[in-house]
Amino acid sequence: MDNFTYCTPTKYIFGHQAEMNAGTELNALGINSVLLCYGGGSVVRSGLLDRVEGALSEAGIKFVKLGGIEPNPTDPKVREGIALCREHGLRGLLAVGGGSVIDTAKAIAAGVPYDGDFWDFWAGKAVVTQALPVGVVLTIPAAGSEGSGNSVITLLDGMHKISLRTDFALRPKFALMNPELTFTLPPAQTAAGVADMMAHIFERYFSTTPDVQVTDRVAEGVLMAIIEEAPKVMASPCDYQARANIMWCGTLAHNGICGTGRREDWVSHFMEHEISAVYGVTHGAGLAVVQPAWMTFMAHRAPAKGAQLARRVFGVDDPDDTSAALKGIECLKKFYSSLGLPLTFGELGIEHPDIDLLVRKLHENKGQEIGGYYRLTPAETAEIYRLAL
Ligand code: NZQ
Ligand code: ZN
């Protein structure tokens, strides 16, 4: 096990009516004004935004609204938010939504106190040392941004989708998590969220660091809970207990607990980010296509971890590592299919992906050789994209 520092300073308030704590939590942090960020309208239609506004008003918190944040969020909304915060002297951000809204709020939070262009942080030219505090009302378990220090933004100029990873600076101060808020999710979003949270665990699980039994077992436990609960939420979208379990899995998958003490990989995410940047697909759906392809490549090069996953999580009984890993991938694909997730570029709606473009952008953004579990060259990432055809 490697040395590590684990600090997840987000306060999670979980359960019925959790969103009604927005005002009191902000007051407790000494924040009296916020930019209230939300997406394309689901929170308006469900009445959630009205309730949150009520909770803020009751607590005497001034707010300015920034709506219309789209999935796979882009830099213009961030710039608009930074300008609004500065114009109104706002002291914090409240994100009501999923990863796209939360990530936009985090980017605004980093940009407001910074003299230069906020993209400097994503371009690796500057490090976030101060940011406005961010609070979250979560509406979709998927990206795990409510408990992560990351923010994924696309720069429209060049369509660069980059994940900025900070240890602590951008972790939300609090996340209000009411499973009932997820009852209205369309099935495709629920399923994509499941693939995303599983992917967050796989990126950490596929590690060459030895002697990480506890972290492996935590990861396997969360994966097994997801596999048990996901069919229930698909069959009964208003099953509170199943929704609650899936919601908490999404947070544990990405708040760091599944990665403690080991080197992580993240190539499947890097490869997917290029797909969602270029083709605008849902992140989790893109992962359901690209990650099994990555695992298939690994089954033939470095099968040990895939074989362990197959045996412990999917109950595969096969003494040969490559063949066990391949059987595990078949189980995973069958599971994704049962949730209605795509498994190929074609099923994702991309009949003729421009693999040369994806590979060129991937290595431009991430370097010539990528991956923590196994180093991949451009020829090899092209092969993985082709495995997903
Ligand atoms: O925009 P609205 O109308 O709200 O609709 C959203 C959106 O269309 C809808 N939705 C959300 N909650 C709903 C709902 N519809 C009905 N009822 C509800 N309760 O779902 C759609 C997707 O929302 P989005 O916020 O995009 O989902 P998600 O949480 O999957 O976020 C995806 C983004 O997060 C990034 C992804 O790359 C992508 O840009 N990621 C962020 C990470 C992080 N910050 O740590 C890690 C992830 O790996 C990921 O890369
Ligand atoms: Zn993800």
Side-chain angles (χ1 to χ4, degrees):
M1 191 190 296
D2 293 339
N3 293 349
F4 66 89
T5 300
Y6 179 61
C7 174
T8 176
T10 305
K11 176 178 180 182
Y12 303 105
I13 300 183
F14 194 101
H16 296 289
Q17 303 214 321
E19 68 275 15
M20 300 316 287
N21 293 287
T24 44
E25 287 305 309
L26 288 165
N27 265 338
L29 291 166
I31 301 165
N32 59 8
S33 60
V34 289
L35 187 68
L36 181 56
C37 303
Y38 57 98
S42 71
V43 300
V44 178
R45 289 191 295 278
S46 67
L48 171 63
L49 194 67
D50 273 350
R51 291 205 300 284
V52 171
E53 287 183 29
L56 295 181
S57 298
E58 206 171 297
I61 310 247
K62 175 184 142 188
F63 58 88
V64 173
K65 293 197 269 188
L66 177 69
I69 297 168
E70 292 178 353
N72 302 315
T74 56
D75 62 303
K77 264 294 177 212
V78 177
R79 296 178 201 288
E80 191 183 333
I82 292 171
L84 280 172
C85 283
R86 288 181 179 157
E87 182 190 337
H88 296 277
L90 303 175
R91 307 289 298 277
L93 290 105
L94 184 64
V96 184
S100 298
V101 175
I102 303 167
D103 287 0
T104 301
K106 288 176 175 177
I108 296 166
V112 172
Y114 180 62
D115 283 340
D117 182 28
F118 90 95
W119 190 255
D120 287 353
F121 300 121
W122 277 254
K125 293 182 193 159
V127 174
V128 183
T129 51
Q130 49 173 334
L132 294 186
V134 176
V136 169
V137 178
L138 187 66
T139 64
I140 170 172
S145 187
E146 71 280 5
S148 84
N150 303 6
S151 165
V152 186
I153 302 292
T154 300
L155 184 70
L156 282 184
D157 183 9
M159 295 308 277
H160 295 290
K161 184 173 185 180
I162 305 282
S163 173
L164 170 69
R165 188 170 185 162
T166 70
D167 283 337
F168 310 114
L170 294 182
R171 281 187 197 255
K173 299 290 178 219
F174 61 83
L176 309 178
M177 301 171 62
N178 175 356
E180 284 159 342
L181 302 182
T182 69
F183 289 179
T184 52
L185 278 169
Q189 286 296 339
T190 299
V194 166
D196 194 14
M197 62 184 79
M198 290 180 81
H200 295 157
I201 302 174
F202 295 142
E203 299 283 16
R204 295 171 164 99
Y205 190 81
F206 281 81
S207 170
T208 52
T209 309
D211 302 318
V212 281
Q213 302 302 347
V214 175
T215 312
D216 269 358
R217 291 298 188 180
V218 170
E220 288 156 4
V222 181
L223 283 169
M224 289 166 86
I226 295 170
I227 291 167
E228 233 173 86
E229 299 300 308
K232 298 183 195 165
V233 296
M234 296 305 290
S236 313
C238 299
D239 177 338
Y240 179 89
Q241 298 302 342
R243 285 284 194 192
N245 278 288
I246 284 292
M247 194 174 215
W248 192 227
C249 283
T251 303
L252 295 184
H254 199 40
N255 78 348
I257 188 78
C258 293
T260 46
R262 63 169 157 211
R263 186 173 181 190
E264 303 177 358
D265 187 73
W266 293 100
V267 165
S268 300
H269 263 72
F270 299 159
M271 293 184 71
E272 193 296 315
H273 283 162
E274 298 307 336
I275 302 173
S276 49
V278 174
Y279 297 104
V281 299
T282 299
H283 170 63
L287 282 166
V289 170
V290 85
Q291 198 160 43
W294 178 91
M295 286 182 182
T296 303
F297 182 97
M298 291 309 150
H300 296 287
R301 265 64 165 204
K305 227 47 207 269
Q308 180 180 307
L309 175 78
R311 292 179 186 126
R312 291 187 181 177
V313 173
F314 292 107
V316 170
D317 183 13
D318 189 324
D320 178 73
D321 275 2
T322 295
S323 134
L326 289 171
K327 285 180 185 162
I329 296 161
E330 282 317 304
C331 296
L332 177 66
K333 285 182 167 181
K334 212 167 143 197
F335 174 68
Y336 283 166
S337 252
S338 75
L339 303 182
L341 285 161
L343 295 175
T344 62
F345 272 107
E347 288 174 12
L348 192 55
I350 308 167
E351 286 306 330
H352 302 290
D354 186 342
I355 290 179
D356 289 343
L357 173 72
L358 295 173
V359 170
R360 182 167 53 72
K361 289 182 77 257
L362 171 67
H363 291 277
E364 248 173 45
N365 286 331
K366 293 294 168 193
Q368 274 309 293
E369 282 205 357
I370 56 173
Y373 182 65
Y374 184 98
R375 303 294 287 167
L376 291 163
T377 62
E380 290 171 318
T381 52
E383 192 179 332
I384 294 172
Y385 277 129
R386 280 196 295 273
L387 284 170
L389 285 172

